[in-house]
Amino acid sequence: FCQETLFPYIKDNVKEYLRAHWEEEECQQDVGLLRKQAQEDSSLDGAVPIPLESGSGEEELERVIQAVVDNVHWQMSLDRKTTALKQLQGHMWRAAYATGHVKGEIFKDVVPAIRKWREAGMKVYIYSSGSVEAQKLLFGYSTEGDILELFDGHFDTKIGPKVESESYRRIAASIGCATNNILFLTDVPREANAAEEADTHVAVVIRPGNAGLTDDEKSYYSLISSFTELFLPSST
C-alpha cells in the first residue's frame, strides 16, 4: 500500500500541492523544515538545496517550489525517514484521505485480532516511520472504516529511529511498561534486531509485497503471516 499507493501519490502531486497551499502557514512550516534538513544534508551526494525566497515574483517562486519538489523526490529515492519529509507527506495524505482519493488498506485478519487482544486486557500501539498524523489518517480512513479506537497510542521517528534499540526503551518508558512485556511486530529485520537488543519480544510479519528474508533470518525470527497465528498471554 505504501509503495504502490501512498508514496507514488506524493511524487505525482507534490508540486500541485505546494502551489495550492504555498501561502498557508502550515505549508510554510513544512518548507522551513525541509530547508533546514537540506542544509544538514548539504554534504551528501546528490543533495538538493532549497533557496530562500526574496519575494521577487512568480518566476522565482516557481524555482523555489521546484527545488522543494526535487528535494522531496531525492529524499524519497533514498527512502529517507526524516521528520521534515514525513511531516509534508502527512499533510498531503490528510488532504487525499479527506477527499476520498486514498483509503488505508487493512488486512482482514487485523481488526478481529486486535479486538481479541484488547478484550484480553492488552494494549496496542503503533510505531511507524510514518508520522503520527499519517498513521491516524490511515486508520481513520481505512477500508475497515475508522478504527482509531483500537489503538492506545502512536509513536513515530520523533521518539527515535526504528533501527535503534534506544527508541524501544523510550517507548517502553513512555507507556510505563517493561520492554520484555512488549511484543513488536515488523517486516524489517533491522528493526527486529534493534527491538531485540532492547529486550523486546519480536515477531516478523510476512505479507504480500514485503521484502524477502534471508534463510538465516527465516530460521532465527518467529515468523507469522497473519495476526491469527499469534497466541498471546492474557494481561496480568
Side-chain angles (χ1 to χ4, degrees):
F1 174 65
C2 287
Q3 297 303 327
E4 293 176 13
T5 302
L6 288 184
F7 293 139
Y9 179 85
I10 299 295
K11 287 179 180 173
D12 294 344
N13 292 279
V14 62
K15 183 182 275 190
E16 184 186 338
Y17 176 86
L18 290 168
R19 281 176 174 159
H21 299 278
W22 191 260
E23 300 297 331
E24 296 167 19
E25 185 181 349
E26 181 178 82
C27 186
Q28 282 301 304
Q29 288 173 350
D30 292 346
V31 171
L33 264 188
L34 285 164
R35 187 176 281 123
K36 188 177 173 204
Q37 184 65 49
Q39 289 165 348
E40 291 174 17
D41 292 341
S42 59
S43 61
L44 298 180
D45 189 36
V48 180
I50 301 173
L52 287 163
E53 278 181 273
S54 63
S56 61
E58 285 295 315
E59 224 171 274
E60 186 209 43
L61 176 60
E62 275 302 305
R63 271 200 304 274
V64 176
I65 287 176
Q66 189 59 52
V68 177
V69 172
D70 292 344
N71 180 281
V72 167
H73 285 184
W74 172 72
Q75 288 202 61
M76 291 181 71
S77 72
L78 298 176
D79 197 25
R80 302 285 301 282
K81 309 289 187 189
T82 64
T83 298
L85 176 63
K86 293 299 172 188
Q87 181 167 300
L88 174 68
Q89 289 174 329
H91 292 153
M92 286 186 64
W93 288 326
R94 179 182 63 199
Y97 282 112
T99 55
H101 284 106
V102 173
K103 271 189 188 297
E105 294 176 16
I106 308 292
F107 289 105
K108 290 294 181 189
D109 55 281
V110 171
V111 170
I114 293 178
R115 290 198 194 284
K116 208 172 280 185
W117 302 341
R118 289 175 64 87
E119 283 165 15
M122 283 172 270
K123 293 190 173 184
V124 182
Y125 296 85
I126 302 295
Y127 178 29
S128 174
S129 52
S131 67
V132 167
E133 182 167 22
Q135 298 170 37
K136 288 182 176 179
L137 288 168
L138 191 152
F139 296 113
Y141 295 90
S142 86
T143 49
E144 300 290 314
D146 182 350
I147 57 170
L148 281 170
E149 65 175 16
L150 297 181
F151 305 107
D152 294 278
H154 300 258
F155 297 93
D156 58 20
T157 51
K158 285 178 182 170
I159 200 90
K162 294 181 79 180
V163 293
E164 291 182 7
S165 57
E166 189 55 35
S167 304
Y168 299 88
R169 295 187 188 99
R170 288 191 196 114
I171 288 172
S174 171
I175 64 179
C177 181
T179 52
N180 65 4
N181 278 338
I182 294 173
L183 171 67
F184 175 59
L185 303 176
T186 182
D187 63 329
V188 181
R190 283 182 69 209
E191 295 175 4
N193 188 46
E196 274 201 337
E197 281 178 11
D199 199 24
T200 298
H201 300 279
V202 171
V204 172
V205 187
I206 311 295
R207 295 285 197 186
N210 286 1
L213 302 174
T214 66
D215 288 341
D216 284 349
E217 288 163 350
K218 285 176 185 171
S219 61
Y220 179 75
Y221 291 112
S222 299
L223 306 178
I224 62 168
S225 57
S226 165
F227 283 9
T228 57
E229 296 167 34
L230 281 177
F231 295 94
L232 304 182
S234 294
S235 177
T236 50

